[in-house]
Amino acid sequence: MFTINRANLRSSHQLIWFIVDFLMLGLLFLNIAWIIFDSLYAIEAINELLFAYAAPFAEFYQPIHRNFFFYDLIFVSIFLSEFVVRWIDAIRIRVYQRWYFYPFIHWYDLLGCIPVGSYRFLRVLRVISIVYRLHKYQVIDFTKTRVYKFLKFYYEAFLEELSDRIVIKVLSGAQAEMTHGSPLIHNIQNEILLPRRDLLTQWLSEKVAEAARTGYIPNRGALRHYLESCVDEALSQNVELSRLRQVPMLGPQITETLEEAVGDIVAQVIHQILDDLASARNHAFIDDLVSTFLQETAEGQETTESERQVIQVVNEIIEAIKKQLEIKRWRQEL
């Protein structure tokens, strides 16, 4: 069953209302059970069965059944009295900004007080509200009960089924949009991305500069050493330079000077490029790059082969996601 956390009964005011909640909960269970029994008693087949096998009880209950409305009014008066007292207490401690907010917020408590026909079964809403209130304040804990685990399992299974079907439907729609050349892609590019090209350029420029500063500047020396070793290895494998090295007297000196010069030039060029990328001077380069990839397109423009290949790749990715969504985790827990 549920557990009771007495540590959360912090004040006498709360304790009183929690006791009232438990009393109301007991009365509600009793009243709902009585309503169910009286409804069954009204069925002719069950009534005849009771008179056949439990005639004294059936005769005893018959006048109660005829006057059930008046007996039920006793419960209704108790429930309404408790509702009015709670309303007055809410006004006294200013729970809501306006005094008349309480009945609108707690409408479910009033519905159960209608003593007519099927409206009586709406008192289940009042049971749920009390149980939720006690659980919210951690006075009782239903999370460890079998009923709670059972309901939670099938609730999560229902949500998983519903959300997966919605996502698969949306992804299938996106696939159809891309495959049949929907104007959506053109509208995104022309109406959303192009007007913000300067913003995208600025953002990309800052990100490239930050990446260059954090990745290049601390490792400048190691990068230069790596470039020089690469240049030395490439020059050592060059046939023309090896022939020049064989020239008497001046050959080794010329090749050594040439290797140093080429190494310095390559390292200097690479360092200059990375310095430019790490500074604000990269803005023009990034702007040209963005302008190249982000150009205005006309609606209905024929799709190139490379664009079709890209769309195919995206479709295959979406298809893989849909297959993954078809795996029901809740079935694996059964």
Side-chain angles (χ1 to χ4, degrees):
M1 295 297 290
F2 58 83
T3 58
I4 300 178
N5 190 348
R6 298 181 181 178
N8 292 283
L9 303 178
R10 299 173 182 173
S11 65
S12 58
H13 181 267
Q14 284 182 328
L15 179 60
I16 291 173
W17 284 120
F18 287 143
I19 293 174
V20 172
D21 279 333
F22 278 111
L23 290 175
M24 290 298 108
L25 200 59
L27 284 175
L28 282 166
F29 280 127
L30 177 62
N31 183 232
I32 292 172
W34 191 4
I35 291 171
I36 294 173
F37 175 78
D38 190 77
S39 301
L40 293 174
Y41 184 87
I43 300 174
E44 185 176 355
I46 296 178
N47 188 277
E48 293 177 355
L49 192 66
L50 284 174
F51 272 98
Y53 293 96
F57 175 77
E59 292 176 357
F60 167 77
Y61 189 77
Q62 191 171 13
I64 298 176
H65 173 70
R66 286 198 300 265
N67 299 294
F68 180 78
F69 176 80
F70 299 101
Y71 289 110
D72 188 58
L73 284 179
I74 298 174
F75 287 94
V76 172
S77 62
I78 295 173
F79 297 149
L80 281 177
S81 300
E82 186 257 350
F83 181 86
V84 172
V85 171
R86 282 187 180 274
W87 187 1
I88 295 172
D89 185 67
I91 296 173
R92 182 181 64 84
I93 62 178
R94 299 183 181 273
V95 176
Y96 305 109
Q97 293 181 346
R98 296 290 185 271
W99 65 272
Y100 51 83
F101 280 6
Y102 188 87
F104 292 100
I105 295 175
H106 297 267
W107 56 270
Y108 42 82
D109 288 341
L110 285 177
L111 283 180
C113 292
I114 301 176
V116 179
S118 59
Y119 284 101
R120 295 190 180 105
F121 289 99
L122 293 177
R123 292 169 197 178
V124 174
L125 296 176
R126 190 178 179 92
V127 174
I128 295 173
S129 68
I130 293 175
V131 171
Y132 173 76
R133 183 162 57 244
L134 294 174
H135 181 78
K136 177 182 177 181
Y137 289 102
Q138 299 179 358
V139 177
I140 61 176
D141 185 8
F142 279 95
T143 58
K144 297 179 181 179
T145 61
R146 292 184 178 180
V147 174
Y148 176 84
K149 292 178 180 178
F150 174 82
L151 295 176
K152 181 182 178 182
F153 174 79
Y154 284 101
Y155 173 73
E156 291 179 351
F158 170 75
L159 286 184
E160 183 180 356
E161 289 285 347
L162 181 63
S163 61
D164 286 353
R165 290 180 182 273
I166 293 173
V167 172
I168 290 174
K169 183 69 175 178
V170 171
L171 292 177
S172 299
Q175 284 180 302
E177 293 273 346
M178 290 187 296
T179 304
H180 297 94
S182 170
L184 176 62
I185 298 176
H186 299 287
N187 293 338
I188 291 175
Q189 184 169 338
N190 296 337
E191 299 177 10
I192 298 177
L193 296 180
L194 277 176
R196 295 172 174 82
R197 189 179 68 180
D198 294 338
L199 178 63
L200 293 174
T201 301
Q202 181 65 29
W203 176 82
L204 189 58
S205 174
E206 293 174 355
K207 291 299 180 182
V208 170
E210 181 181 356
R213 283 194 300 268
T214 57
Y216 159 64
I217 294 178
N219 302 304
R220 183 192 294 264
L223 179 60
R224 183 178 183 87
H225 177 72
Y226 172 74
L227 291 173
E228 289 177 349
S229 63
C230 290
V231 170
D232 291 341
E233 183 178 356
L235 292 176
S236 64
Q237 296 177 0
N238 186 268
V239 178
E240 287 77 9
L241 196 61
S242 62
R243 292 174 182 174
L244 183 61
R245 191 178 290 109
Q246 295 174 2
V247 176
M249 297 182 65
L250 296 177
Q253 185 176 358
I254 293 174
T255 55
E256 184 179 352
T257 303
L258 188 59
E259 289 176 357
E260 293 179 357
V262 172
D264 287 339
I265 291 171
V266 172
Q268 187 61 32
V269 169
I270 298 297
H271 287 317
Q272 186 62 45
I273 292 173
L274 292 174
D275 279 334
D276 290 340
L277 289 176
S279 65
R281 294 190 298 272
N282 72 356
H283 188 82
F285 169 73
I286 299 297
D287 185 42
D288 293 338
L289 192 64
V290 172
S291 300
T292 301
F293 285 97
L294 193 61
Q295 297 178 354
E296 186 171 359
T297 58
E299 185 176 339
Q301 183 177 346
E302 185 178 355
T303 306
T304 63
E305 180 62 26
S306 60
E307 290 175 341
R308 283 194 290 270
Q309 293 295 330
V310 171
I311 292 174
Q312 180 64 26
V313 171
V314 175
N315 277 334
E316 291 179 2
I317 293 173
I318 294 176
E319 196 65 32
I321 296 174
K322 288 165 62 177
K323 289 182 179 179
Q324 181 64 31
L325 289 173
E326 291 175 357
I327 300 175
K328 306 304 179 184
R329 289 175 296 176
W330 65 269
R331 294 178 182 173
Q332 299 173 357
E333 297 177 2
L334 288 175

